[in-house]
Amino acid sequence: MAPNHSRSVKLNDGYFMPVLGFGTYASDEVPKSKAGEATKVAVDVGFRHIDAAYAYQNEEEVGKALREKMADGTVKREDIFYTTKLWNTFLRPELVRPALERSLKKLGLDYVDLFIIHWPVPMKPGEDLLPKDASGQIILDTVDLCDTWEALEKCKDAGLTKSIGVSNFNHKQLEMILNKPGLKYKPVCNQVECHPYLNQSKLLEFCKSKDIVLVAYSALGSQRDPNWVEKDSPYLLEDPIVKAIAKKHNRSPGQVALRYQVQRGVVVLAKSFNEKRIKENFQIFDFELTPEDMKAIDGLNRNFRYAKLLFAADHPNYPFSEEY
Ligand SMILES: NC(=O)c1ccc[n+]([C@@H]2O[C@H](COP(=O)([O-])OP(=O)(O)OC[C@H]3O[C@@H](n4cnc5c(N)ncnc54)[C@H](OP(=O)(O)O)[C@@H]3O)[C@@H](O)[C@H]2O)c1
């Protein structure tokens, strides 16, 4: 089936990415089966872009859900855009392809559409997702990200992934990859936290100038996971301006937060494991925010980041010390 061009963006390698994606991450307290159930609902209501990761530890459930939706005729493999991510413990180049093959095996798929470096900060290789020392500190590693990138390029050449990209990179880290001698493929995207309180306008401008798509996560204000997010963080969907704009359009604040991104050329992810909200989040193509609405939402920016990942703050690859 030809991609729906009005709801997709053309990547710099010629493939298409749907502008609205379904997020599959939930904390360990949520049974993994919920991700599979929610994925099936998401496909049923129209989501064709599924954002996942090895680190979410639910690729078996999400893969099974997708294969069921293919088997019952709802979608074909080529209708789905599936993203997985290379976890921090696998950034050494020799670990890259085995990590992708492991995801594919869990998924029961032959290829993914997009394989991205989850974080630029490497962690000690091994089976633990968060390797810790005796004092409970996460053990970091040193890897040249240009070598990691070359290993991703080889995964694309081997047909294990259609496209390759990065996540949580600042513009200097993107530039390092773009300026790598012998670069074969540019990253197609940079997936970062992005919402009205952290609208990433400078990074967005930079990415657009390099034909790199910015993909927004935590676009609804994050799941406020106490492991990563401070309790007193502001509630985005309670914001009076977002609420007033939603009321004016007879929409929900969540729909406004998602629509905002699509209108400014950002691909947006939305996580929900609730049937009503999954449906609601897909209904963003039948209304439009006015230039004044967009300006008012732009005005909410306060460079506030929900997930700061401060445990890596002293590592030279920590991405958030740069302005953008
Ligand atoms: N690359 C990275 O490092 C990275 C980091 C974080 C996230 N991500 C990806 O981005 C996805 C989305 O980000 P996120 O997980 O931070 O969550 P999010 O999309 O900001 O959603 C946050 C919460 O909002 C609730 N919600 C959803 N729709 C709503 C609506 N219409 N109205 C009110 N509340 C609503 C959801 O709860 P219910 O389930 O109860 O509806 C969800 O827990 C993730 O699942 C993951 O795929 C990537």
Side-chain angles (χ1 to χ4, degrees), residues 45-71:
V45 309
F47 280 91
R48 295 293 176 263
H49 173 169
I50 310 294
D51 183 77
Y54 175 80
Y56 302 167
Q57 295 183 285
N58 57 17
E59 287 198 293
E60 276 167 23
E61 290 79 4
V62 173
K64 186 164 169 277
L66 291 176
R67 284 183 284 109
E68 281 178 27
K69 285 287 121 196
M70 290 176 216

Side-chain angles (χ1 to χ4, degrees), residues 25 51 167-168 191 218 222-223 271-273 277 280-281:
Y25 173 72
D51 183 77
S167 177
N168 297 302
Q191 184 183 127
S218 297
S222 92
Q223 299 183 44
K271 177 267 169 185
S272 178
F273 286 1
R277 289 189 286 277
E280 180 182 313
N281 292 343

Side-chain angles (χ1 to χ4, degrees), residues 12-29:
N12 65 36
D13 64 358
Y15 290 104
F16 286 85
M17 176 191 272
V19 297
L20 174 63
F22 179 70
T24 61
Y25 173 72
S27 66
D28 282 343
E29 290 79 63

